[in-house]
Amino acid sequence: MNIFSAPSKYPFGLDISDRSFKIVQLNKKRHNIVLQAIGKWRVPSGAIEDGIIKDQKTVIGIINKLINKPMYGKISSKNVIASLPETKTFINLIDIDASEGEFRNVLERKIEKNIPYTLDEVNYDWQVVEKNKKIKKVLVGIVEKKVANQYYNILNEAGLTPIALEIEAVAISRSLLPISAKKILPTLIVDVGAERSSCVAFANNSILFTMSLPLSGHEITDDIAKKLRIPKHKAEAAKIVCGLDPHHANGDIAKILNNKIKKLADRIKEVAEHLRTNYPEYSEVNRIYLSGGGTQINGIADKLTSELKIPVYIGNVLMNFNINYSIEQKYLHEEYSTFKKLAKKNKVKQNMSLQFATAIGLALRGIYSDKLK
């Protein structure tokens, strides 16, 4: 029993994706934000497909297992802030001129113009992030109504109280950027997940837009497995152990990774050009942060920096709260090993905290005054 701090009353963050669920709960201890619980669980193939829940019983079971047995700590709330599937959501910063007409009418007209649905088919939320006498900059988040309803109902059936359903890009931005900052220079966040990847453009304390990227962690792993004719779990380990080192695996893994990173860099250049063209006041990207389990490749930040001529950094999802060093080492690091014929040093312990970027961002929403909402 901990006699120095009470169990957290704050909602936990739940990251729901096709391949895995992650859960994080934070707590306030005096003037510090601390980790109370963290966990993850693999999702069986077919239970969720492209963000749509296909097997409700399995999904509810995984949620309950995560709550009852996280990797570390104890979940002490039934209140949850959960992520919405990235492929079923839209987020954009739009300008609304007072001369265009009544605010809500103009807002809805511009929303409908930029989505493949009618307004009756979506839920949307908005926030004015900047304004002057004539122009309001409005951040708009949109999700298919049937998807939002499905996630809300699943959480209810699991015995939880959904406090909010949040777009993934917002949660990731909150976890990777300093919440205390008054103003953030134009920044790109590149999130490489197991199934898909995206880029978030962020400036002046607001998301500007998001774009999809042509890369996924499993795509890289599959290519390595086919090239080297090894099992996928060994290919995943080889990707992390060997990275971009040309002396490992006869340079085959480095070649695959270099080709993938080159395509990724080309797409990021397109994102930067879109930023310059459509948001001239934020035209110069100051830095790029990498997020997601797919970016845990040795040398990837330096390689992208060289390709893009923009500083690229591995993101730090632990920056907005405190975590005990021994807990971090035990629960947020994993050892990977591959065949000795591929690398003389065939084992490596890798920091996997970026896998929890979304869940951490969701949990932070329940703790901090929400500057990135």
Side-chain angles (χ1 to χ4, degrees):
M1 179 178 180
N2 191 336
I3 63 174
F4 297 107
S5 61
S8 178
K9 62 183 179 181
Y10 300 99
F12 63 87
L14 179 63
D15 175 18
I16 300 172
S17 68
D18 292 7
R19 293 270 184 166
S20 65
F21 286 12
K22 284 101 175 177
I23 193 169
V24 172
Q25 188 174 22
L26 302 173
N27 197 5
K28 282 187 178 181
K29 187 176 180 181
R30 296 182 181 175
H31 300 295
N32 295 319
I33 308 302
V34 297
L35 178 71
Q36 173 165 304
I38 191 167
K40 65 178 180 178
W41 203 281
R42 288 187 178 182
V43 177
S45 178
I48 303 179
E49 295 179 357
D50 194 27
I52 302 300
I53 298 170
K54 300 292 186 179
D55 187 340
Q56 297 189 13
K57 184 178 179 181
T58 294
V59 167
I60 291 171
I62 293 173
I63 292 172
N64 287 326
K65 288 173 184 175
L66 263 178
I67 291 171
N68 293 327
K69 287 188 176 182
M71 297 188 309
Y72 163 78
K74 182 178 180 180
I75 300 296
S76 58
S77 175
K78 291 293 185 180
N79 295 335
V80 59
I81 300 173
S83 64
L84 290 164
E86 188 261 338
T87 56
K88 307 299 180 185
T89 59
F90 305 85
I91 190 165
N92 209 357
L93 188 70
I94 61 175
D95 288 346
I96 295 185
D97 193 319
S99 65
E100 294 180 278
E102 195 272 329
F103 176 83
R104 184 169 289 277
N105 289 338
V106 176
L107 177 65
E108 292 186 344
R109 189 165 66 244
K110 290 196 172 187
I111 289 174
E112 198 159 28
K113 182 180 178 182
N114 290 285
I115 60 173
Y117 307 99
T118 66
L119 282 177
D120 291 338
E121 296 175 303
V122 301
N123 290 334
Y124 73 88
D125 199 5
W126 56 271
Q127 180 183 13
V128 176
V129 297
E130 187 179 332
K131 62 182 178 179
N132 55 39
K133 291 181 180 180
K134 294 184 65 178
I135 304 292
K136 290 181 179 178
K137 291 187 178 297
V138 184
L139 184 65
V140 181
I142 303 155
V143 60
E144 287 184 69
K145 192 174 290 184
K146 64 181 181 181
V147 174
N149 290 342
Q150 185 188 46
Y151 277 55
Y152 185 88
N153 291 336
I154 281 287
L155 294 170
N156 269 323
E157 289 180 36
L160 303 174
T161 301
I163 301 301
L165 299 176
E166 185 163 77
I167 292 174
E168 193 174 298
V170 179
I172 291 172
S173 299
R174 189 183 295 110
S175 68
L176 284 168
L177 299 174
I179 289 179
S180 60
K182 293 182 179 180
K183 186 176 182 180
I184 294 174
L185 295 173
T187 299
L188 299 183
I189 297 172
V190 174
D191 181 62
V192 181
E195 290 294 328
R196 60 189 65 86
S197 301
S198 63
C199 185
V200 182
F202 194 102
N204 200 23
N205 295 327
S206 175
I207 290 174
L208 306 178
F209 61 88
T210 64
M211 282 191 177
S212 61
L213 299 173
L215 189 68
S216 74
H218 283 290
E219 176 190 328
I220 298 172
T221 300
D222 287 347
D223 285 355
I224 292 172
K226 290 175 184 177
K227 176 67 177 178
L228 302 183
R229 297 180 180 179
I230 59 177
K232 287 186 179 180
H233 72 282
K234 287 294 185 181
E236 176 68 19
K239 176 178 70 177
I240 293 171
V241 172
C242 299
L244 289 160
D245 191 331
H247 299 103
H248 293 328
N250 297 318
D252 288 336
I253 293 174
K255 185 177 180 180
I256 291 170
L257 291 175
N258 275 311
N259 289 337
K260 295 293 184 183
I261 291 170
K262 178 67 168 60
K263 291 179 181 179
L264 177 62
D266 289 343
R267 179 60 171 164
I268 294 172
K269 290 175 183 177
E270 292 177 11
V271 175
E273 181 59 33
H274 181 81
L275 180 66
R276 280 189 289 271
T277 302
N278 295 278
Y279 302 86
E281 65 271 42
Y282 309 121
S283 60
E284 293 302 319
V285 177
N286 180 259
R287 62 185 58 197
I288 297 172
Y289 290 116
L290 302 180
S291 177
T295 61
Q296 300 289 7
I297 297 169
N298 289 328
I300 188 173
D302 291 340
K303 178 66 177 177
L304 282 171
T305 296
S306 176
E307 290 281 347
L308 298 168
K309 312 305 180 190
I310 300 170
V312 179
Y313 305 95
I314 300 295
N316 176 14
V317 297
L318 310 179
M319 68 186 305
N320 289 310
F321 66 98
N322 296 328
I323 179 171
N324 181 279
Y325 177 77
S326 62
I327 293 172
E328 179 191 347
Q329 291 296 308
K330 183 174 182 179
Y331 296 103
L332 296 181
H333 286 73
E334 294 180 19
E335 185 173 270
Y336 288 83
S337 63
T338 190
F339 299 111
K340 287 187 177 180
K341 64 181 180 180
L342 299 180
K344 289 182 180 179
K345 186 180 178 182
N346 70 319
K347 293 182 180 180
V348 65
K349 197 169 186 180
Q350 186 77 334
N351 185 333
M352 305 306 290
S353 61
L354 284 172
Q355 294 181 0
F356 292 90
T358 299
I360 288 170
L362 296 168
L364 283 168
R365 174 172 173 165
I367 289 279
Y368 282 94
S369 57
D370 198 4
K371 296 182 180 181
L372 301 179
K373 183 176 174 182

